[in-house]
């Protein structure tokens, strides 16, 4: 299976509910999925919430359209959930790749679930191995609307823990962090692509919260950021090749 060198792309959306500006976030998440980017969503509940707020149905809908994993979580359990969702989404995406490969090899009627247990076990080992070796790019999209103010310190700790837990992988990790709403736009970069999230302690105290929640436009902008990153990388390679030829 020639997938070891692939890059898994994820948007990790951390929110506490209702988007209230711009296009439908589920539709935008579907657009991301069509472009090979999985959208995973973590909906944060208040620790004393006796019932689920209405907006958290949206959490499931976005993840469903985005081919990802969704999880509702109380603030105190956020850290382990961020790690679990990211890893679960990697496995789910890789299983999807493997299923596609299997269909090409074995024909459309064979899927992973229909294989005999021994063969399925072997294939799951391949999936686990790929999860260790593939490159991973995670764009973290943080809701900084007014109701998220008291949750941001917990989000920061959870992301540092995520970075540490993924550092043991063989594959390359790249993270970036964007917030929505931004000061002037629907979405704003707060941390550029980097292999580690250790430095984010410095940016979080400066994150101010606003009232609106433009989730749909923010996901659309996040898709563009992945494309922009690929473009910058190919331009850099072109420049390096040009310099080698000149030398």
């Amino acid at each position: 299976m020639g997938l070891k060198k692939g890059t898994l792309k994820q948007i990790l959306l951390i929110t506490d509910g209702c988007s209230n500006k711009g296009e439908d976030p589920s539709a935008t998440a579907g657009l991301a999925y069509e472009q090979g980017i999985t959208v995973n969503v973590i909906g944060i509940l208040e620790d004393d919430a006796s019932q689920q707020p209405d907006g958290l149905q949206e959490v499931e809908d976005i993840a469903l359209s985005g081919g990802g994993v969704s999880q509702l979580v109380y603030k105190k359990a956020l850290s382990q959930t961020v790690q679990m969702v990211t890893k679960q989404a990697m496995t789910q995406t890789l299983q999807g790749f493997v299923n596609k490969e299997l269909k090409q090899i074995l024909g459309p009627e064979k899927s992973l679930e229909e294989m005999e247990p021994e063969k399925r076990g072997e294939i799951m080992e391949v999936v686990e191995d790929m999860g260790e070796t593939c490159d991973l790019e995670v764009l973290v999209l943080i809701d900084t609307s007014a109701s998220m103010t008291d949750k941001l310190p917990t989000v920061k700790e959870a992301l540092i823990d995520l970075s540490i837990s993924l550092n043991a992988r063989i594959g390359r990790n790249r993270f970036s962090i964007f917030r929505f709403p931004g000061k002037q736009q629907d979405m704003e970069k707060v941390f550029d692509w980097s292999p580690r999230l250790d430095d984010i302690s410095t940016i979080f105290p400066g994150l101010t919260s606003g009232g609106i929640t433009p989730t749909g436009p923010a996901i659309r902008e996040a898709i563009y950021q992945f494309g922009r990153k690929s473009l910058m990388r190919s331009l850099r390679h072109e420049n390096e090749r040009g310099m080698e030829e000149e030398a």
Side-chain angles (χ1 to χ4, degrees), residues 3 8 89-99 127-128 130-132 134:
L3 292 164
L8 290 191
M90 284 170 71
T91 304
Q92 189 170 295
T93 307
L94 289 167
Q95 275 178 294
F97 281 151
V98 170
N99 256 336
V127 169
E128 276 173 38
M130 286 159 63
E132 282 298 307
C134 67

Side-chain angles (χ1 to χ4, degrees), residues 15-16 27 42 58 82 97 103 129 150 157 231-232 236 240 242:
T15 182
D16 65 351
I42 295 174
E58 186 177 85
V82 167
F97 281 151
K103 281 189 170 43
D129 180 49
D150 62 328
E157 296 306 325
L231 180 65
M232 297 299 281
R236 198 163 58 241
E240 284 165 7

Side-chain angles (χ1 to χ4, degrees), residues 10 40 69-71 81-95:
Q10 292 189 19
N40 307 303
V69 177
S70 68
Q71 189 71 43
T81 306
V82 167
Q83 292 176 46
M84 183 194 77
V85 164
T86 305
K87 289 175 178 173
Q88 206 179 324
M90 284 170 71
T91 304
Q92 189 170 295
T93 307
L94 289 167
Q95 275 178 294

Side-chain angles (χ1 to χ4, degrees), residues 2-9 94 97 130 133-136 169 172:
L3 292 164
K4 282 193 168 52
K5 288 284 173 253
T7 300
L8 290 191
K9 297 175 181 178
L94 289 167
F97 281 151
M130 286 159 63
T133 56
C134 67
D135 290 346
L136 175 65
R169 293 174 64 252
R172 205 171 56 113

Side-chain angles (χ1 to χ4, degrees), residues 17 37 45 47 50 73 87 96 109 112-113 122 129 138 155 163 182 193 245:
I37 304 163
L45 298 160
D47 288 339
S50 54
V73 61
K87 289 175 178 173
E109 64 287 339
L112 198 52
E113 292 73 30
E122 283 173 28
D129 180 49
V138 182
V155 171
S163 175
W193 292 99
E245 283 166 9

Side-chain angles (χ1 to χ4, degrees), residues 100-172:
K100 220 175 275 178
E101 295 268 311
L102 284 177
K103 281 189 170 43
Q104 284 175 356
I105 299 161
L106 304 170
E109 64 287 339
K110 270 283 189 185
S111 73
L112 198 52
E113 292 73 30
E114 293 161 321
M115 301 194 84
E116 51 272 25
E118 193 181 323
K119 276 268 176 266
R120 194 163 60 223
E122 283 173 28
I123 287 164
M124 283 313 294
E125 275 180 39
V126 172
V127 169
E128 276 173 38
D129 180 49
M130 286 159 63
E132 282 298 307
T133 56
C134 67
D135 290 346
L136 175 65
E137 291 179 355
V138 182
L139 186 151
V140 183
L141 197 49
I142 302 170
D143 176 353
T144 52
S145 56
S147 56
M148 280 287 288
T149 309
D150 62 328
K151 303 180 183 83
L152 290 178
T154 319
V155 171
K156 179 191 78 175
E157 296 306 325
L159 293 177
I160 291 170
D161 285 353
L162 171 68
S163 175
I164 292 164
S165 79
L166 290 176
N167 275 344
R169 293 174 64 252
I170 298 160
R172 205 171 56 113

